[in-house]
Amino acid sequence: MAPTTKSYDFIVIGGGSGGSGAARRASGWYGAKMLLIENGKSGGTCVNVGSKLTWNFASISEALKDGVHYSYDIPQSISFNFAEFKKKRDTNVKNLNNVYERNWNREGIDLVHGIATFTGEKELEVKLQDGSGTATFSAPHILIATGGHPTKPEDIPGSEHGITSDGFFDIAELPKKMAFVGAGYIAVELAGVMNAIGVECHMFLRHETFLRNFDPMIQDTLTKRYEDAGITIHKNHKGFKKVVSLQKGTGSEKLLRLIGHDGEAFECNELLWAIGRTPEIEELQPANAVAIAAGRALSNRLFGSTHPRGGPHLSHAKLDYANIPTVVFAHPEVGTVGLTEPQAVARFGADGVKTYHTRFTAMYYDFHPADEKARNPTEYKLVCEGPGERIVGMHVLGLGSSEMMQGFAVAVKMGARKQDFDACVAIHPTSAEEVVTMK
């Protein structure tokens, strides 16, 4: 007997940030009959790895070192229990999984754990995770919000001996020496974390700087900041042709030899590949990843235009991908919104772009020695276009940048001009006041 197909108004495949946002908006706001299919832990990557908690852990290590300059009697070397921290982080992640599932249940969303495969344009078969078989579901609207998984290079023998960001959060015993291959968010954030807690870190870059999609100010300043902090950056590296496992184990017991294309060998206790992500669609075939805002906009468009809580204006609701702010939880933090200076010049011409820039030492470092002040810059840039000096890009680096970026991003999104920033009363004493006093 063929399995019965259960029908819904809307099916979302993937219970991460984007999928959850779409499902909750459709069901919680507009009453759509909703099914969410998830084949892993609820909440998605950001929730399930606890990356911000790990950044906090590393930041506390830095603050303890800074406390000496504020006349705290802090020993030079304070021990910590990373394995215990990992247990607490894992418990926190599990709690968040439960929070997501409670929210879905409260809003009337059915949850099925399993792997979905399209059997028709509007129909899915799900291999149930509990081993009880398969189930079929249909809906006029099916959203693929499966995200992706970090990849390892398939053309490098022995690459499997390294880990990705997923494996990073399984570490309970710290390695003594660690290599990071990659120049994006993941490599920068995780190398910053490990360096702050005493791991010898080596970053291997194909070019001179990392975060190469960011403004040159961010690239240059943060790359030098990492070097000043003790991270060894191997610039213009030609890559590795082979990875050899010399000794298995955890922490400092594990030993790898990385052999470069130039023949040079590098030994370390752990290797992290941070070279990108692959869409999680092997079982699905079609693909279309979304973020929280895009998922909500989609649900607004599908269900909100005819619902009393919405209105006809939502019939064309879509996420505007211009001026989306982002932050990197590096050491120090980085925030950016809009165009880089080179992008602005390419779009408006060199004569149509004016930049404002400031670099200073935050008051937090007033008691630090001069050499430490020099190693801890705060730097901001505004990129403006046209006679009216509309702000088309804002780039910040330094303590607190992740928090301040959200507010300033609203202003940039609304089309703020330099004179609008100038007219804003500066909050003193803050680093952020420099943004509205630049000349």
Side-chain angles (χ1 to χ4, degrees):
M1 180 177 174
T4 302
T5 299
K6 190 172 182 178
S7 298
Y8 288 86
D9 298 325
F10 191 22
I11 297 175
V12 172
I13 308 169
S17 299
S20 178
R24 294 188 66 186
R25 180 61 55 92
S27 182
W29 283 41
Y30 304 125
K33 187 180 179 182
M34 182 78 234
L35 172 66
L36 193 151
I37 303 168
E38 172 57 53
N39 71 345
K41 296 178 181 178
S42 300
T45 299
C46 289
V47 167
N48 283 298
V49 297
S51 53
K52 184 63 186 296
L53 290 173
T54 310
W55 182 84
N56 290 342
F57 181 85
S59 297
I60 290 171
S61 177
E62 293 176 319
L64 288 170
K65 297 170 185 175
D66 292 332
V68 173
H69 304 303
Y70 278 81
S71 300
Y72 279 84
D73 187 12
I74 300 175
Q76 288 292 310
S77 179
I78 297 179
S79 63
F80 57 82
N81 189 329
F82 191 78
E84 182 64 25
F85 162 72
K86 180 185 180 300
K87 289 181 182 178
K88 291 181 178 180
R89 184 183 64 199
D90 292 348
T91 299
N92 178 267
V93 167
K94 179 61 178 176
N95 291 339
L96 289 175
N97 297 150
N98 294 334
V99 167
Y100 267 75
E101 294 187 8
R102 285 198 300 269
N103 285 338
W104 295 337
N105 182 65
R106 186 176 65 246
E107 295 184 348
I109 299 169
D110 289 346
L111 173 63
V112 170
H113 287 284
I115 298 175
T117 303
F118 278 94
T119 55
E121 185 177 349
K122 305 294 183 183
E123 188 174 89
L124 294 165
E125 180 180 83
V126 179
K127 182 179 180 181
L128 300 174
Q129 204 169 65
D130 62 7
S132 61
T134 62
T136 58
F137 305 97
S138 66
H141 308 291
I142 299 176
L143 171 64
I144 303 170
T146 51
H149 58 267
T151 57
K152 297 179 183 179
E154 297 180 355
D155 59 343
I156 299 178
S159 63
E160 69 274 10
H161 298 305
I163 61 173
T164 64
S165 54
D166 287 348
F168 176 88
F169 292 97
D170 291 330
I171 292 175
E173 184 180 347
L174 292 176
K176 183 177 180 181
K177 184 177 180 182
M178 188 165 179
F180 299 80
V181 178
Y185 284 76
I186 299 300
V188 170
E189 291 187 348
L190 300 187
V193 162
M194 296 304 257
N195 180 70
I197 58 178
V199 176
E200 180 184 337
C201 294
H202 293 254
M203 298 182 71
F204 293 86
L205 314 182
R206 290 183 296 172
H207 302 282
E208 287 284 324
T209 59
F210 45 59
L211 296 179
R212 288 178 53 78
N213 291 328
F214 285 67
D215 190 85
M217 179 197 81
I218 299 294
Q219 295 181 45
D220 295 340
T221 299
L222 194 61
T223 300
K224 186 176 188 306
R225 169 69 183 90
Y226 269 40
E227 289 179 304
D228 289 343
I231 296 176
T232 302
I233 300 182
H234 304 258
K235 301 176 180 179
N236 300 309
H237 193 262
K238 302 304 179 184
F240 296 108
K241 63 180 181 181
K242 188 177 182 180
V243 178
V244 179
S245 175
L246 300 178
Q247 181 173 300
K248 297 186 181 300
T250 60
S252 296
E253 291 179 355
K254 180 178 179 180
L255 187 60
L256 301 175
R257 177 176 293 147
L258 318 182
I259 302 173
H261 285 291
D262 57 4
E264 289 191 11
F266 177 85
E267 292 187 1
C268 59
N269 305 113
E270 191 57 274
L271 161 66
L272 186 137
W273 300 108
I275 58 174
R277 298 177 70 84
T278 299
E280 196 76 67
I281 57 169
E282 287 85 353
E283 304 291 335
L284 284 171
Q285 259 90 92
N288 184 14
V290 296
I292 297 175
R296 290 172 177 168
L298 174 63
S299 293
N300 285 338
R301 188 165 72 249
L302 294 177
F303 303 103
S305 61
T306 58
H307 194 277
R309 194 168 183 176
H313 65 287
L314 294 177
S315 61
H316 300 290
K318 294 181 180 179
L319 177 64
D320 179 5
Y321 286 90
N323 293 325
I324 293 180
T326 187
V327 300
V328 183
F329 289 106
H331 294 262
E333 306 149 62
V334 165
T336 184
V337 63
L339 303 177
T340 65
E341 184 177 350
Q343 289 171 337
V345 169
R347 181 175 299 186
F348 304 110
D351 293 338
V353 174
K354 183 174 182 180
T355 63
Y356 294 85
H357 170 260
T358 184
R359 181 184 173 108
F360 60 97
T361 301
M363 184 182 290
Y364 180 84
Y365 297 105
D366 274 5
F367 297 146
H368 287 56
D371 60 331
E372 289 195 38
K373 289 181 180 180
R375 292 198 299 266
N376 289 281
T378 298
E379 195 165 11
Y380 302 152
K381 180 193 280 189
L382 296 177
V383 182
C384 305
E385 69 87 14
E389 295 192 333
R390 178 172 64 97
I391 299 171
V392 295
M394 177 177 170
H395 312 281
V396 296
L397 178 152
L399 294 176
S401 290
S402 62
E403 296 291 344
M404 64 180 279
M405 178 79 307
Q406 185 69 78
F408 279 109
V410 174
V412 174
K413 184 74 173 178
M414 294 176 67
R417 300 162 297 170
K418 178 63 168 62
Q419 68 185 56
D420 297 319
F421 276 31
D422 293 342
C424 183
V425 174
I427 302 172
H428 183 75
T430 64
S431 292
E433 69 179 293
E434 298 290 332
V435 176
V436 299
T437 58
M438 278 192 267
K439 295 180 180 179

